[in-house]
């Protein structure tokens, strides 16, 4: 007898306990709640956004905070023509690596754009916030192109 | 230092959706195959057993424990697991043997990726605060990496298509491959983008399956009286989990692992590289310092079929089989783990 039926069950993925995000991740997320983007300076002087707790090269604890700009430059991008149900935007969008002004390392988030033709490496984008930030990376609703920004 | 011998390897076919077959049923035929190659009865005949798998694929903590059922009613005395590709189970077993805690080891890796949405599932292995909440999937991450290579001018989309074309052609000689055929660069470039700049062919398919291997000291291999291949070097290096902190157009950790494993101490006839995306094969070929003298991915590589958590071990197995069969004398196997080639393992195999 061929066994073809697959069993399935609802499952919610998540922490089943409360945990602190700590002094570095927590401060960054609290910054987002206040519509500010905070970075941290690494041992080599580079400003890292989002901030790691420990230096990637020396493993030293980091604490030299730097607020960075909310506009930045696209370092790389890709075009999602068919968003997954889990993706943050449900219309076709771009994932972008953005180096925010004042930061030395890019961060990855989504970019709302009309089409792939509207996105380019070197293009200028800015943060668009959600209406009610709550201290979460998704407080940044997405990036949006800066009107007239070089691209 | 005790010399290591690879003595047996088996891999299942790469199947897009194996249906209701469970993980134990995927593993058992491969275990039986490697026992038969050596003349062993069961896992009781080796000193150490180590497996590689990913609980995220099954969606349950400690799901890997169920895989131990494939070893039979009596569990092994010395058993371990890595939440990684089984190439890292091989690494653990090599340490176990080199330090004198075992003379032989059985390794297996398995992955049933079809029930979930694999790229989205793997996004949950990213850091839990900055990236995982965005459900940034593996295909998108690889596309960001490919764009950087294309922008830098170090590769073209034709170069990527050439990797896919060669994979499909080589896979025609591999009965275990999922995707094989005679398809040229021009035809591949006419496909629509899946996730620009990646086309579907640039991405490894989702596959179900398993692989197993037996290794031992060279002395034990001789006692067993089976053909063996010497594993003369193995090393693994990891980079930052944050892809933005790395040079994504290179693989520094692969370069470091290759140097430490002694890749360039003699000529290489064959290389099996774990590159789930076409542009990554180009990065890795360069990082491994390979030239035309080395045949790359004669099996078709993972673009022809990608067994999550077993493909890395299978790269070692492919090189082992080619040396045992007399098609090659010395080869390199590579395994990767994590987003955009975060973590890399390099092994060197030589004929006895």
């Amino acid at each position: 007898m061929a066994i073809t039926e697959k069993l399935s069950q609802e499952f919610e993925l998540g922490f089943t306990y409360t945990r602190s995000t700590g002094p570095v991740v927590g401060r960054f997320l609290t910054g987002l709640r206040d519509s500010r983007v905070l970075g941290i300076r690494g041992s080599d002087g580079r400003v890292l956004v989002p901030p790691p707790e420990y230096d990637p090269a020396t493993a030293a604890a980091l604490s030299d905070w730097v607020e960075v700009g909310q506009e930045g430059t696209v370092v790389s991008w890709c075009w999602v023509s068919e968003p997954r149900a889990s993706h943050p935007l449900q219309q076709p969008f771009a994932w972008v690596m953005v180096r925010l002004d004042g930061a030395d390392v890019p961060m990855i988030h989504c970019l709302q754009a009309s089409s792939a033709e509207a996105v380019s490496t070197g293009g200028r984008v800015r943060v668009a916030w959600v209406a009610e930030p709550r201290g979460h990376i998704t407080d940044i609703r997405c990036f949006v192109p800066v009107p007239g920004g070089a691209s | 230092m005790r010399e290591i011998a690879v003595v047996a390897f088996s891999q299942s076919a790469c199947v897009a959706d194996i249906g209701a077959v469970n993980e134990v049923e995927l593993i058992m035929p491969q275990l039986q195959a490697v026992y038969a190659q050596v003349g062993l009865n069961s896992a009781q005949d080796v000193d150490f057993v180590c497996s590689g798998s990913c609980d995220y694929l099954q969606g349950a903590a400690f799901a890997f424990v169920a895989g131990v059922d494939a070893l039979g009613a009596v569990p092994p005395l010395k058993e371990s697991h890595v939440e990684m590709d089984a190439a890292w189970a091989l690494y653990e077993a090599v340490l176990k043997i080199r330090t004198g805690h075992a003379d032989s080891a059985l390794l297996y890796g398995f992955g049933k990726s079809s029930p979930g949405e694999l790229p989205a599932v793997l996004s949950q292995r990213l850091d839990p605060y900055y990236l995982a909440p965005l459900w940034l999937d593996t295909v998108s991450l690889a596309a960001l990496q490919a764009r950087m290579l294309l922008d830098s001018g170090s590769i073209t989309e034709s170069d990527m298509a050439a990797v896919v074309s060669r994979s499909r052609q080589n896979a025609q000689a591999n009965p275990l491959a999922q995707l094989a055929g005679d398809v040229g660069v021009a035809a591949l470039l006419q496909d629509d983008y899946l996730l620009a700049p990646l086309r579907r062919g640039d991405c490894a398919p989702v596959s179900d399956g398993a692989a197993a291997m037996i290794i031992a000291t060279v002395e034990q291999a001789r006692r067993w009286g089976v053909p063996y291949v010497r594993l003369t070097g193995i090393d693994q290096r990891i980079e930052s989990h944050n892809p933005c902190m790395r040079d994504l157009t290179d693989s520094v950790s692969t370069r470091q692992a290759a140097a430490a494993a002694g890749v360039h101490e003699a000529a290489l006839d064959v290389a099996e590289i774990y590159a789930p995306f076409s542009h990554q094969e180009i990065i890795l070929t360069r990082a491994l310092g390979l030239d035309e003298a080395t045949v790359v991915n004669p099996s078709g590589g993972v673009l022809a079929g990608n067994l999550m958590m077993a493909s890395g071990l299978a790269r070692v197995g492919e090189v082992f089989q080619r040396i045992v069969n007399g098609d090659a004398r010395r080869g390199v196997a590579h395994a990767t783990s994590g987003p955009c080639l975060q973590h890399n393992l390099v092994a060197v195999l030589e004929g006895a």
Side-chain angles (χ1 to χ4, degrees):
Chain A
M1 188 181 74
I3 302 168
T4 54
E5 186 196 0
K6 287 184 196 169
L7 303 177
S8 68
Q9 185 180 349
E10 288 296 315
F11 179 73
E12 188 176 342
L13 184 65
F15 294 126
T16 54
Y17 44 87
T18 303
R19 58 171 293 166
S20 162
T21 49
V24 174
V25 178
R27 185 160 166 181
F28 171 76
L29 295 176
T30 302
L32 296 181
R33 195 184 62 197
D34 300 334
S35 299
R36 299 167 66 204
V37 183
L38 301 176
I40 211 161
R41 198 178 296 278
S43 63
D44 58 1
R46 291 191 301 170
V47 175
L48 314 173
V49 182
E53 291 173 303
Y54 298 95
D55 189 84
T58 67
L62 298 175
S63 59
D64 186 5
W65 289 88
V66 182
E67 182 168 358
V68 299
Q70 298 188 11
E71 285 191 18
T73 303
V74 173
V75 173
S76 186
W77 62 281
C78 61
W79 185 252
V80 184
S81 53
E82 293 179 25
R84 296 174 186 275
S86 53
H87 279 159
L89 296 174
Q90 291 303 300
Q91 294 294 314
F93 72 97
W95 290 110
V96 280
M97 288 173 67
V98 177
R99 187 167 51 243
L100 291 170
D101 297 341
D104 294 297
V105 169
M107 64 177 288
I108 300 175
H109 215 294
C110 55
L111 172 79
Q112 187 177 324
S114 53
S115 70
E117 286 66 38
V119 191
S120 63
T121 303
R124 294 286 294 171
V125 297
R126 67 169 172 79
V127 171
W129 299 98
V130 296
E132 293 178 17
R134 59 191 178 99
H136 201 274
I137 191 67
T138 50
D139 287 351
I140 297 177
R141 185 176 66 80
C142 60
F143 281 90
V144 292
V146 174
S151 62
Chain B
M1 195 155 60
R2 310 219 296 169
E3 269 202 298
I4 308 284
V6 180
V7 297
F9 173 71
S10 182
Q11 183 209 306
S12 70
C14 298
V15 178
D17 184 349
I18 200 74
V21 172
N22 68 26
E23 284 77 4
V24 171
E25 292 165 325
L26 284 176
I27 300 163
M28 285 190 77
Q30 306 318 314
L31 298 186
Q32 294 302 324
V34 292
Y35 298 155
Q37 288 174 34
V38 183
L40 306 181
N41 289 316
S42 71
Q44 300 297 315
D45 295 335
V46 296
D47 297 334
F48 178 57
V49 178
C50 194
S51 59
S53 69
C54 174
D55 284 355
Y56 285 66
L57 298 185
Q58 285 139 294
F62 293 94
F64 70 90
V65 175
V68 176
D69 281 352
L71 298 168
V74 182
L77 281 176
K78 294 180 185 171
E79 195 267 341
S80 184
H81 172 263
V82 293
E83 182 74 11
M84 313 174 82
D85 188 287
W88 277 269
L90 168 67
Y91 187 85
E92 181 172 338
V94 167
L95 295 184
K96 203 89 171 172
I97 293 176
R98 280 185 178 167
T99 52
H101 293 285
D103 286 342
S104 58
L106 167 69
L107 319 162
Y108 61 93
F110 58 99
K112 187 176 174 184
S113 303
S114 61
E117 207 178 318
L118 183 64
V121 169
L122 295 179
S123 78
Q124 296 310 291
R125 304 182 90 201
L126 296 167
D127 91 69
Y129 303 111
Y130 299 156
L131 291 178
L134 302 175
W135 293 83
L136 174 60
D137 61 278
T138 41
V139 179
S140 298
L141 272 164
L144 289 169
Q145 181 181 36
R147 174 86 60 196
M148 295 181 100
L149 282 160
L150 292 165
D151 282 347
S152 75
S154 71
I155 67 166
T156 65
E157 292 187 22
S158 292
D159 295 335
M160 293 163 64
V163 170
V164 181
S165 174
R166 185 167 40 73
S167 164
R168 295 279 194 279
Q169 287 181 358
N170 288 352
Q172 291 181 92
N174 179 359
L176 305 178
Q178 185 174 332
L179 301 175
D182 197 1
V183 53
V185 170
L188 286 165
L189 288 175
Q190 281 179 0
D191 286 347
D192 289 337
Y193 289 117
L194 174 69
L195 207 157
L198 297 179
R199 297 175 171 84
R200 187 170 296 281
D202 292 311
C203 312
V206 173
S207 317
D208 295 337
M213 176 178 282
I214 295 175
I215 67 169
T217 60
V218 164
E219 292 73 21
Q220 180 62 56
R222 288 184 183 141
R223 280 196 290 274
W224 279 333
V226 292
Y228 64 89
V229 165
R230 291 180 303 135
L231 187 123
T232 57
I234 187 166
D235 195 82
Q236 46 122 13
R237 302 292 164 116
I238 193 166
E239 298 175 58
S240 169
H241 63 84
N242 179 355
C244 294
M245 294 294 296
R246 296 186 250 141
D247 177 2
L248 295 182
T249 65
D250 192 7
S251 180
V252 173
S253 50
T254 298
R255 285 181 196 278
Q256 291 172 335
V263 164
H264 299 296
E265 288 168 11
L268 293 161
D269 302 317
V270 63
E272 279 284 342
I273 298 174
Y274 192 165
F277 298 92
S278 61
H279 64 279
Q280 294 179 343
E281 185 177 305
I282 301 172
I283 295 173
L284 291 164
T285 303
R286 291 172 180 173
L288 289 166
L290 303 179
D291 59 23
E292 286 75 27
T294 305
V295 178
V296 175
N297 285 350
S299 69
V302 299
L303 290 176
N306 185 21
L307 303 179
M308 288 306 299
M309 306 298 136
S311 275
L313 183 69
R315 305 277 66 70
V316 182
E318 287 282 348
V319 174
F320 157 74
Q321 287 177 332
R322 269 164 224 284
I323 296 176
V324 159
N325 294 342
D327 300 329
R329 285 167 301 174
R330 186 171 187 270
V332 61
H334 160 270
T336 198
S337 177
C340 297
L341 305 175
Q342 180 196 0
H343 190 178
N344 294 283
L345 178 148
V346 175
V348 178
L349 290 91
E350 297 183 26

